[in-house]
Amino acid sequence: MKFGLRIAIAILCVALPTVPLATWLAWVARAGQVDSRVRLAGQPVGENAGRAEMWVSERMLDRLSSHVALKLPQVTVTASLEDLGFVPETGATMEGLLEASRASHSGDPVWSIEHFRKLEAGAIEVPLVIGLEPGVLIEYLLDLKTRHDLPPREARIDFATGTITGHESGASLEIYSAAAVIEKAVLVDGASSVTLPMAEIEPALTADVLASLDHETVISEFSTTFPRAGKNSSRAHNVAFAASKLDGTILLPGITVSFNAIVGERSIEAGFMEAPEIYEGEMVEGVGGGTCQVSSTLHAALVYAGLDIVERYPHSRPSSYIRMGLDATVAYPTVDLRVRNPFPIPLVVRAFTQKGRLTVQILGATRPVTVDFDTSIMRTDPFDEVIEEDPSMQVGVVLVKQYGLPGYQLRRVRTITYSDGTVKTEKTIDMYPATSHLVVVNPATGYTGLTAAQKGIEAQDPDEGVLEGEDLEERPADFAAPEPAEEPATPAWTIVDGPFAHPPKPEAH
């Protein structure tokens, strides 16, 4: 029937002089232009037909800047399509517009009429074509996984109540399945939100396993003290709070455990408070100050229990609450204390505070080893003094921002003796760099600084003209004994401690 209609139209066009050939040719020539009645992703081209390519680029930018909600178990993250790796395909979109427009100017009268009717009805729709760079999407999802995976929570003993807290499963983002889901949601479904697939992770330690655990023997115990009153109250809170998170932790055989994973982020939202802490070698106010005392006390208990210390870093200066070589600094999430239980029995960590004393115990069924731990200072380095001049300071006052401390090279030796008589000796070196002495003075004070001896610099050799001991009998006749040293003058300034200046305590070293 369509064939007959085509013949009839052709005869009519020839027979009717009112249809000039030039008009027909002009109509066909418009096949290379975008028709204003074509719709692009739900919107008619309209007056944009003359600037179609620029208009398509603008639509592309709008589309790629739109957002999609990525739903995870405990959070929803919103990301733009551009962030997820979607890219514009302007050329393919323009080709689709031209193809849709070309059909009504094809020269086939029947097909052109049918297509014309669809255009008039707004039924010719062209999609906005966008592509995807898979590598960008995978990288985004890997970062998402790092930040939002939920580790499983193992069962724990609540020593305060004597009960066992149940375990909770974790959830891990399935990267490649999530990428496929996002690609389909955006390119096929046009969805504005998507639930990402997660894999369930069961904890190794369940409540049933914990109920049968024997933890009657104290394998090792270590305590440190901390001030609680006045300005130290917030630090005392952090010590007790971090200890409560650590208390009841189970160390399974062969499993490596992270202090940061157990205690978590040190933030106000997590329950920590602002308190002094060491940052880049200086005492500053920071959230979670005092947590390092918990990690150090735990580390000492673990050392004497004979556990493997997988990752540990000494502080940048000796600590006042624990001897050098036993401290362990932590900073969430980058600086960690990680330990491994090498024994065939599970162990339990007890951590609690009482009247300014923090105690960490390692409990188990039996004591698997005995441990000796010793340290010796191999080298001591003097510290320097940094004098900051401030004209607004009161003349005659020296404000100490930070007391200087010598640097130390420390040898650590741990000897582990097993029940079968086997002995293992571990030798390591700790480096504690010297801590600068920082003061602020008015230039008019005339502050001359610390003496070499105060900085820990050894005295120079005696002058050659000074004779000692038996050499005095052989002294030349014209020998003159050195004049006695003058008594040092009383300093003409007053030393004042800043808020974070704590005079060093010799017994802490």
Side-chain angles (χ1 to χ4, degrees), residues 186-226:
V186 172
L187 299 182
V188 179
D189 303 332
S192 59
S193 65
V194 57
T195 299
L196 300 183
M198 306 291 291
E200 185 177 13
I201 305 175
E202 288 294 330
L205 187 65
T206 63
D208 292 338
V209 173
L210 189 54
S212 61
L213 190 149
D214 183 351
H215 56 277
E216 296 301 318
T217 301
V218 178
I219 295 173
S220 70
E221 176 178 315
F222 200 90
S223 296
T224 57
T225 59
F226 57 92

Side-chain angles (χ1 to χ4, degrees), residues 140-319:
Y140 183 93
L141 291 174
L142 283 170
D143 179 67
L144 202 67
K145 178 181 178 66
T146 300
R147 291 185 286 116
H148 297 292
D149 267 9
L150 297 175
R153 193 185 74 179
E154 298 181 333
R156 296 178 62 163
I157 301 174
D158 186 347
F159 286 98
T161 62
T163 59
I164 295 175
T165 58
H167 62 273
E168 290 183 2
S169 298
S172 176
L173 178 63
E174 296 184 320
I175 297 292
Y176 293 99
S177 296
V181 168
I182 292 173
E183 183 177 7
K184 180 178 182 297
V186 172
L187 299 182
V188 179
D189 303 332
S192 59
S193 65
V194 57
T195 299
L196 300 183
M198 306 291 291
E200 185 177 13
I201 305 175
E202 288 294 330
L205 187 65
T206 63
D208 292 338
V209 173
L210 189 54
S212 61
L213 190 149
D214 183 351
H215 56 277
E216 296 301 318
T217 301
V218 178
I219 295 173
S220 70
E221 176 178 315
F222 200 90
S223 296
T224 57
T225 59
F226 57 92
R228 296 179 293 161
K231 64 180 182 180
N232 295 305
S233 60
S234 59
R235 186 180 185 280
H237 163 84
N238 292 337
V239 172
F241 187 63
S244 69
K245 288 179 167 289
L246 188 64
D247 191 36
T249 299
I250 310 301
L251 307 176
L252 292 173
I255 302 299
T256 298
V257 176
S258 158
F259 179 90
N260 280 339
I262 297 170
V263 176
E265 181 181 7
R266 270 72 91 184
S267 65
I268 299 295
E269 295 75 16
F272 288 91
M273 300 175 66
E274 289 190 351
E277 63 180 2
I278 300 174
Y279 178 72
E280 295 186 349
E282 292 189 35
M283 290 297 298
V284 298
E285 194 81 5
V287 177
T291 308
C292 283
Q293 182 162 352
V294 181
S295 61
S296 294
T297 309
L298 169 65
H299 171 254
L302 295 169
V303 166
Y304 284 106
L307 273 75
D308 295 338
I309 310 301
V310 177
E311 180 180 1
R312 169 259 176 187
Y313 306 94
H315 283 79
S316 59
R317 64 173 73 177
S319 301

Side-chain angles (χ1 to χ4, degrees), residues 319-320 405 502-509:
S319 301
S320 60
L405 292 172
H502 302 287
K505 298 178 181 179
E507 65 272 14
H509 299 176

